[in-house]
Amino acid sequence: EVDNLRKVGTARRVSVHFLDLPVMYAPWLQFPLSNERKSGFLTPTLGSNGVRGFEATAPYYLNLAPNYDATITPRYMTKRGLQMGAQFRYLLGDETSTFGVAAGEMNAEFLPPDRATGENRYALAWQHSEQFAPWLGAFVNINKVSDDKYFADFADRIAVTSQKTPPREAGLVATSGPWSLLARAQSYQTLQDPLGPRIPIPYNILPQLLANGSRQNVYGLDWQFAGELSNFRHLELVNGQRLIVYPSIAYPLRRSYGYVIPKAGYHYTRYPLDDNAAAADPDPRGSCA
């Protein structure tokens, strides 16, 4: 049934065949006739897994507004219980402007409690980017799971199940003419497999400043600058800072038959170290580099 006023199509007793083999059946379906989004159930999934048992997922999509939406995903696993998942996506600000625009996505999963472990298990993720002004932007990427085996027990993709150090970072990005500056703080949650080898815990960088600049044909010269100041923190290894300064200048000589680019630069690197009584390595330069 086609309703052109509401721009909605309704189908009953629907079956889909591939090479004369029925692959899907639904007693009732409703779908939009235009490109506009519509609230409703998405395609359910069924499966079986040795860790989770038989499982069924029935996501429900919510078209809340033109600039944000949500998806609620109940997931029942016979060996684990009922897990609730939610995704919220948003786009804020004027899309026609180069600043004042923010976009992001939030994801959450919660299983209260896991039948196999008797514990509440969850996963949280938030990615956000925002442009405050034409020259200034910011980003956030935060991930957290309840325990070391969460991805191994509940994720299906290899890229997710093999993830051992979910990142947590936030930063500012500024640009002005030939210059760009990045200021960020970065840390990780390290997931240890109790049955596998111990995973080295990465350094947290709290904070890190990166500066880059370049300009060509300044009185026939090309100049570049790269700089970094990072503060490395670790619970077990030696703490320290890293300072890198690398200015350079070049004088390109280009002709139709070839070119020569003489270049001179100065690269300075320094590692001021702090005492850490728990450190096993007295020199972290190989780890921080």
Side-chain angles (χ1 to χ4, degrees), residues 135-139 169-175 179-186 205 207-212 227-230:
W135 58 274
L136 181 63
F139 63 91
E169 61 178 346
L172 294 171
V173 181
T175 58
W179 293 97
S180 64
L181 176 66
L182 168 64
R184 68 176 176 181
Q186 187 178 61
I205 309 178
Q208 181 182 52
L209 301 176
L210 299 173
N212 291 278
E228 175 188 349
L229 178 60
S230 300

Side-chain angles (χ1 to χ4, degrees), residues 208-224:
Q208 181 182 52
L209 301 176
L210 299 173
N212 291 278
S214 65
R215 177 162 286 180
Q216 296 182 339
N217 196 22
V218 180
Y219 299 104
L221 300 174
D222 296 345
W223 63 265
Q224 291 183 331

Side-chain angles (χ1 to χ4, degrees), residues 33 41 56-57 75 82 94 101 118 147 153 156 177 196 201 208 278:
L33 300 178
F41 282 101
T57 303
R75 180 187 187 187
L82 178 62
D94 186 1
V101 177
D147 55 86
D153 288 345
D156 293 319
I201 300 176
Q208 181 182 52

